[in-house]
Amino acid sequence: MLAALACLVAAATSYVPAMRAKHNVALGVSSVEWLRHNGGNPIVSEIENWYYELNAPEKGGPALTTLPKVGVNSEGEGSKAKVYRPPNVAPLIHPALAGEGVWKKAAAKAGPQPPVLLTTFRSDPEYPQFVAGVAWIDSSRTHLAYVPGLAEPPEPLENRGSGEVPLAMRKRLVATFNGGFPLETSNAGLIYRGKVVETMVNGIATIVEYRSGRVDVVRWHQGPRAPADVWFAKQNLPPIIYEGKLNPDLSDGPEWGETVNNAIRVWRSGLGVDAHGNLIYAAANYQTVESLAKILQRAGAVRALELDINEDWTSFITYRHPGALEPSNLLPEMLRPPERYLTPTNGISSPST
């Protein structure tokens, strides 16, 4: 009895301060994350997998007649200049719905070379109600910034900030999106401002920003330290697409299933690069890691990694006007509000022009 009481007191000593710390998620979510990080990860994972299997979607169902509206129309902004734009995404289901796979600019008055384009398409003929949201980010016109959050990364950082997009960055902000698994969950590395925050791991998919400003998704092979030319690097599990091909282990490999099994259908998000070095982000509900990879591949990604999963963590937000005004979620059913990254939160990636 005394031993049990001592355990409860010890748990409360950890739990209460953790819940009193700043959060931008519900108490229940914070409690689950506390349990996960305090030895309860196997229990949480088992319950999550059981819940998602019990609520798995059925194949078929009535066909959609419309798709969510994304972006703004581009009429009247023609240009004679030769500007690269990605080809529209070829629909998987026919007849195609209005606007399906057609890129639209994310911001009003973005001109003939918009830095961010958006589209949606039905991602799986066997599940005709599933809709994927995809964003294309012009790497030649944007700068990718990693903004540390309130709790991620957990290690002490110089100039951590307030856990939100800084006011000075908002004038030119074009998009924000979730930054990937917590370091404790991904067992991978982070380089921030040229310094190693968490030891880098060879073989892991990594979003890299070089000091030149170029960004890429690579399979890391440069060892535990920060190379001289790397400014930022965030790792997250093995690649799901590499050199244009799907990872052969997606259907049954355990690498993407430490928390939620890789074949469980949940909200998933991913980030890749196309053959021109531009970023491609994708998110959708009811996805396996394999179906997410196929969405990114269809949208043009030649290398890609999985980012966050579950509805509480998956966000892609664009801003229709300068100053981060009129924020909008990529998909209307995304749980978190579009103002999410303008208030203190977890780790953020934010392209700006």
Side-chain angles (χ1 to χ4, degrees):
M1 180 64 181
L2 290 176
L5 182 59
C7 290
L8 287 173
V9 170
T13 302
S14 169
Y15 176 78
V16 173
M19 295 305 104
R20 286 179 174 174
K22 286 185 178 181
H23 296 282
N24 71 338
V25 294
L27 177 63
V29 176
S30 297
S31 299
V32 169
E33 292 306 305
W34 174 86
L35 180 60
R36 190 192 300 280
H37 295 147
N38 285 273
N41 190 44
I43 299 173
V44 173
S45 299
E46 188 68 26
I47 293 173
E48 282 187 329
N49 280 287
W50 173 80
Y51 172 81
Y52 287 122
E53 287 177 349
L54 188 64
N55 292 275
E58 295 183 358
K59 294 182 179 180
L64 296 178
T65 57
T66 59
L67 290 170
K69 292 183 179 180
V70 296
V72 297
N73 293 324
S74 303
E75 289 84 353
E77 291 194 354
S79 173
K80 295 181 180 180
K82 291 185 177 181
V83 176
Y84 174 77
R85 292 184 65 155
N88 290 334
V89 181
L92 277 162
I93 301 176
H94 298 278
L97 299 178
E100 187 163 16
V102 176
W103 295 107
K104 291 188 176 182
K105 62 181 183 177
K109 300 181 180 180
Q113 193 178 357
V116 180
L117 299 174
L118 309 174
T119 193
T120 56
F121 64 95
R122 292 167 293 173
S123 60
D124 191 334
E126 293 186 336
Y127 297 89
Q129 296 184 3
F130 293 0
V131 175
V134 183
W136 176 88
I137 303 169
D138 187 341
S139 293
S140 69
R141 298 202 61 217
T142 57
H143 169 72
L144 182 67
Y146 175 76
V147 180
L150 294 172
E152 184 65 23
E155 290 77 3
L157 286 179
E158 295 181 9
N159 304 315
R160 174 180 286 272
S162 60
E164 60 190 296
V165 176
L167 293 175
M169 292 179 59
R170 297 185 187 184
K171 182 179 180 180
R172 304 180 67 85
L173 190 66
V174 293
T176 48
F177 56 89
N178 48 289
F181 281 21
L183 293 174
E184 292 180 359
T185 304
S186 63
N187 298 315
L190 172 68
I191 296 170
Y192 177 63
R193 296 185 175 181
K195 297 180 180 180
V196 173
V197 176
E198 189 69 31
T199 302
M200 301 294 286
V201 180
N202 282 340
I204 301 298
T206 309
I207 174 69
V208 181
E209 180 191 12
Y210 297 94
R211 290 183 183 271
S212 65
R214 183 173 68 89
V215 296
D216 202 354
V217 172
V218 302
R219 180 186 281 122
W220 190 260
H221 59 82
Q222 301 192 65
R225 296 183 175 86
D229 61 341
V230 171
W231 179 244
F232 159 74
K234 176 74 162 62
Q235 298 190 305
N236 209 59
L237 311 177
I240 58 175
I241 304 173
Y242 208 73
E243 304 308 350
K245 298 180 179 180
L246 300 184
N247 190 315
D249 294 330
L250 293 178
S251 61
D252 57 5
E255 295 92 337
W256 302 271
E258 181 178 344
T259 55
V260 172
N261 186 278
N262 64 307
I264 295 291
R265 290 190 173 273
V266 295
W267 271 101
R268 293 183 189 265
S269 60
L271 184 69
V273 291
D274 65 15
H276 298 266
N278 301 299
L279 291 172
I280 297 176
Y281 175 98
N285 196 6
Y286 298 122
Q287 300 300 313
T288 66
V289 68
E290 182 176 16
S291 66
L292 171 68
K294 289 179 178 179
I295 290 170
L296 282 159
Q297 185 184 51
R298 195 164 192 84
V302 295
R303 294 182 296 281
L305 51 78
E306 184 180 55
L307 288 175
D308 294 279
I309 64 175
N310 297 330
E311 62 182 3
D312 287 294
W313 311 116
T314 303
S315 290
F316 188 96
I317 300 159
T318 56
Y319 305 88
R320 187 158 295 189
H321 301 287
L325 300 178
E326 202 171 332
S328 178
N329 281 330
L330 175 60
L331 292 171
E333 62 267 33
M334 284 179 162
L335 178 67
R336 305 296 288 276
E339 297 81 12
R340 174 183 182 183
Y341 296 126
L342 304 180
T343 58
T345 185
N346 292 322
I348 316 161
S349 296
S350 55
S352 58
T353 56

